């Protein structure tokens, strides 16, 4: 993933994507686009969804949509993955488009994690995606 500092509500005066510390975000997007990954998962703070940042994020995700099916979940508690951090996060997951098996599993697993804390771990999540 990429650092949360430019998007954190603790840094409310940050320039978000114009902040120099946001450079790893752009490198991450380029890597996803060029590497043609099967499945990927990014996690970041809820500040990424504030108005000043969300529009930029969505523009970059739109560029990936011809290649990937993308699901964005807001306010997901990492304890759903058995992580110890209990602060809400944004999870962005993508899987190669055109593979109904992966697309179905991605949507099913993300929906189940959004609805309940079922004890699924991060490793379980990736293994079930294939």
């Amino acid at each position: 993933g990429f650092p949360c500092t430019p998007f954190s509500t603790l840094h409310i005066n940050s320039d978000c994507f114009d902040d120099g510390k946001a450079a790893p975000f752009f490198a991450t997007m380029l890597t996803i686009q060029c590497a043609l990954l099967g499945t990927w998962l990014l996690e970041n703070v809820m500040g990424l969804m504030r108005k000043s940042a969300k529009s930029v994020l969505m523009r970059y995700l739109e560029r990936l949509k011809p290649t990937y099916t993308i699901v964005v979940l807001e306010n997901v508690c990492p304890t759903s993955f058995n992580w110890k951090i209990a602060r809400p996060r944004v999870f962005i997951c993508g899987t190669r488009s055109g593979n109904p098996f992966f697309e179905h599993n991605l949507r099913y697993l993300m929906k189940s994690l959004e609805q309940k804390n079922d004890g699924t771990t991060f490793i379980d999540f990736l293994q079930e995606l294939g």
Side-chain angles (χ1 to χ4, degrees):
F2 48 94
C4 68
T5 306
F7 315 108
S8 172
T9 54
L10 293 174
H11 300 93
I12 198 69
N13 294 324
S14 168
D15 292 329
C16 291
F17 288 101
D18 291 330
D19 188 314
K21 293 178 183 171
F25 166 82
F26 300 108
T28 300
M29 292 293 108
L30 184 60
T31 299
I32 290 170
Q33 189 172 11
C34 293
L36 297 176
L37 305 170
T39 301
W40 48 269
L41 177 69
L42 302 174
E43 168 272 332
N44 214 290
V45 296
M46 283 302 303
L48 185 61
M49 302 311 286
R50 66 182 178 213
K51 191 175 181 178
S52 58
K54 187 174 184 176
S55 62
V56 175
L57 171 67
M58 293 305 162
R59 262 197 321 254
Y60 274 85
L61 294 179
E62 282 296 320
R63 293 178 188 171
L64 297 175
K65 282 191 175 179
T67 307
Y68 296 101
T69 299
I70 299 170
V71 176
V72 178
L73 291 177
E74 300 177 39
N75 285 317
V76 175
C77 187
T79 57
S80 297
F81 296 113
N82 286 340
W83 293 355
K84 294 182 184 196
I85 300 170
R87 293 181 301 267
R89 293 285 198 254
V90 175
F91 286 87
I92 306 165
C93 191
T95 191
R96 294 285 292 276
S97 297
N99 186 329
F101 174 76
F102 285 119
E103 290 179 11
H104 171 77
N105 281 347
L106 172 65
R107 291 181 194 284
Y108 173 78
L109 287 169
M110 294 301 278
K111 188 170 182 77
S112 72
L113 287 171
E114 184 178 40
Q115 291 175 347
K116 61 184 165 111
N117 181 355
D118 63 1
T120 301
T121 65
F122 179 67
I123 299 301
D124 294 335
F125 175 80
L126 291 179
Q127 286 175 338
E128 287 189 46
L129 282 178

